[in-house]
Amino acid sequence: MASPSPHMAQALELARQALGQVSPNPAVGAVLVKEDKVVGQGYTQPPGGPHAEIVALQQAGERSRGATLYVTLEPCCHYGRTPPCTDALLAAGVSDVHMSVVDPNPLVAGKGKRQLEDAGLRVNVGDGDEEARRLNEAYFKHIVSGLPFVTAKFATSLDGKIATATGESRWITGEEARRTVHQMRAVSDAVMVGIDTALADDPQLTAREGERPLERQPLRVVVDSTGRLPARARLLAGPGRALVATARMSPSRRSALERSGAEVVSLPGEDGRVDLPALLRLLGQRGVMSILVEGGGALLGSFFQQRLVDKVVAFIAPIIIGGREAPSPVGGQGFPSLSEALRLHLVTVESVGEDLMLTGYPPADQEGGA
């Protein structure tokens, strides 16, 4: 993989600052360069605000004329909440454009590139493309399929346990790993847990820096098929919104949860549990591009069994818990043979404090056994 040019690397770093802040728009960074000097830069603002290219043009002013633009995604060429970026680039007199990737949005999809070329601009595609695709992987899936990008996250001991046989689970991983999880929540549109985890741990599911909740909070989603979540659960009291997905729930429990501020949606599946594909479709229709599924084992087992996971992030702590009854991170029926198991690819491993963080992707065709 070729490394991005220095100016595109700067644009990618700017784009990262928009992650989690601009859904359902993509996180984009832009840098304007003239005579080897940066004259303007910016990243996508929250919906309704200017796109990255416009922020950079406003900063550069008249210096935009004859400048080269480095941008992490093809400039838009259609009217949405804001006018087309291509029109602004042409009006400003930009002469060259380096874009990492073409926007898969059907309203753009090469049309922005073509408009710039037809106007006489030199356009180059591919600088930093792999990093740009990874950075906006949730947007790429959502804009094409309408579904959220699902990341399965769990933390285990070296022998694959998420708690002791007595149920103690705080804390398997160290402080740096936990801080990383809060950063993952901060850039996700939603965080999801199953009812067993909600009852056992009573988590807040907020994105925090230390003990301070961040201003922007992901939607908190509980999958509670039979309506067991108490109205006093901490995740209902935190800042931000909470949604409880159920298959069957008594009217009194539903009313109690709604009085606590939760939205309750009924999505029964044929097996009497929440229909997870239907839940993903609903969230996608509401503009949720990315979901961080944090457990527990039953919920993760269902997601893997139904091949609904796009990415896996596993934190592995250098401790041994042992115990026949100690739970593992992925429950459910499991796959009957190794040839059917989901073998991750594009795997990376990095140290996070004393722990390891393994990141990988199930096969694109979700057939497993690669």
Side-chain angles (χ1 to χ4, degrees):
M1 178 180 69
S3 297
S5 67
H7 293 308
M8 189 61 79
Q10 184 177 352
L12 288 162
E13 191 56 40
L14 286 164
R16 290 186 185 93
Q17 298 182 49
L19 275 176
Q21 311 298 317
V22 297
S23 293
N25 292 333
V28 180
V31 174
L32 273 169
V33 178
K34 189 171 185 178
E35 297 175 354
D36 291 328
K37 292 183 179 179
V38 174
V39 295
Q41 60 182 347
Y43 54 87
T44 311
Q45 299 301 295
H51 291 184
E53 301 95 319
I54 305 304
V55 176
L57 288 172
Q58 290 172 344
Q59 191 178 112
E62 285 301 316
R63 294 174 296 176
S64 301
R65 192 160 301 280
T68 297
L69 174 70
Y70 293 82
V71 63
T72 58
L73 188 69
E74 179 183 14
C76 68
C77 55
H78 64 95
Y79 280 88
R81 290 187 176 95
T82 60
C85 289
T86 49
D87 289 356
L89 292 170
L90 294 175
V94 171
S95 61
D96 297 79
V97 174
H98 294 255
M99 64 179 73
S100 294
V101 287
V102 170
D103 190 341
N105 185 340
L107 295 174
V108 187
K111 300 182 184 73
K113 174 178 178 289
R114 194 175 310 118
Q115 180 185 353
L116 296 175
E117 289 175 329
D118 288 347
L121 274 68
R122 293 180 292 272
V123 180
N124 176 276
V125 180
D127 187 3
D129 57 345
E130 292 194 39
E131 288 190 33
R133 290 180 189 281
R134 286 282 169 259
L135 189 144
N136 270 312
E137 57 194 2
Y139 168 76
F140 274 59
K141 179 183 179 182
H142 184 261
I143 200 67
V144 171
S145 69
L147 297 173
F149 185 91
V150 176
T151 298
K153 187 277 297 180
F154 52 86
T156 77
S157 63
L158 198 58
D159 57 335
K161 308 296 184 182
I162 60 172
T164 67
T166 60
E168 182 182 349
S169 61
R170 296 184 179 179
W171 297 99
I172 287 178
T173 54
E175 185 176 338
E176 290 189 42
R178 297 197 297 274
R179 187 160 51 243
T180 300
V181 170
H182 281 287
Q183 293 168 354
M184 293 172 64
R185 289 178 181 175
V187 299
S188 299
D189 293 332
V191 176
M192 183 183 294
V193 295
I195 183 60
D196 290 339
T197 294
L199 294 175
D201 298 342
D202 194 19
Q204 292 177 278
L205 294 184
T206 52
R208 301 187 297 277
E209 187 173 337
E211 293 301 315
R212 180 179 64 86
L214 299 177
E215 181 177 350
R216 188 263 183 192
Q217 292 291 327
L219 172 69
R220 299 184 292 278
V221 181
V222 183
V223 178
D224 179 14
S225 292
T226 56
R228 293 186 287 150
L229 185 71
R232 65 179 182 277
R234 291 203 303 167
L235 63 86
L236 300 180
R241 298 177 298 123
L243 181 147
V244 180
T246 189
R248 56 188 186 279
M249 181 181 291
S250 69
S252 60
R253 176 58 60 88
R254 185 184 187 114
S255 296
L257 291 176
E258 290 174 340
R259 286 195 300 271
S260 294
E263 178 186 0
V264 180
V265 296
S266 181
L267 297 167
E270 293 181 359
D271 58 359
R273 297 185 295 178
V274 170
D275 185 330
L276 293 179
L279 176 57
L280 294 181
R281 288 194 296 272
L282 173 68
L283 293 173
Q285 290 164 3
R286 295 185 178 190
V288 172
M289 291 200 309
S290 57
I291 300 176
L292 184 65
V293 182
E294 297 202 27
L299 182 63
L300 284 174
S302 295
F303 265 91
F304 281 114
Q305 200 77 43
Q306 296 180 52
R307 303 182 186 273
L308 301 174
V309 175
D310 298 296
K311 183 178 182 178
V312 177
V313 179
F315 293 89
I316 304 168
I319 61 173
I320 304 294
I321 292 178
R324 185 178 302 167
E325 303 302 320
S328 62
V330 181
Q333 296 179 346
F335 296 102
S337 66
L338 290 177
S339 64
E340 296 176 75
L342 291 180
R343 186 178 297 275
L344 304 183
H345 66 136
L346 300 176
V347 173
T348 60
V349 180
E350 59 184 287
S351 296
V352 181
E354 293 185 347
D355 306 311
L356 296 178
M357 182 175 74
L358 184 149
T359 302
Y361 297 81
D365 59 4
Q366 293 283 283
E367 289 300 322

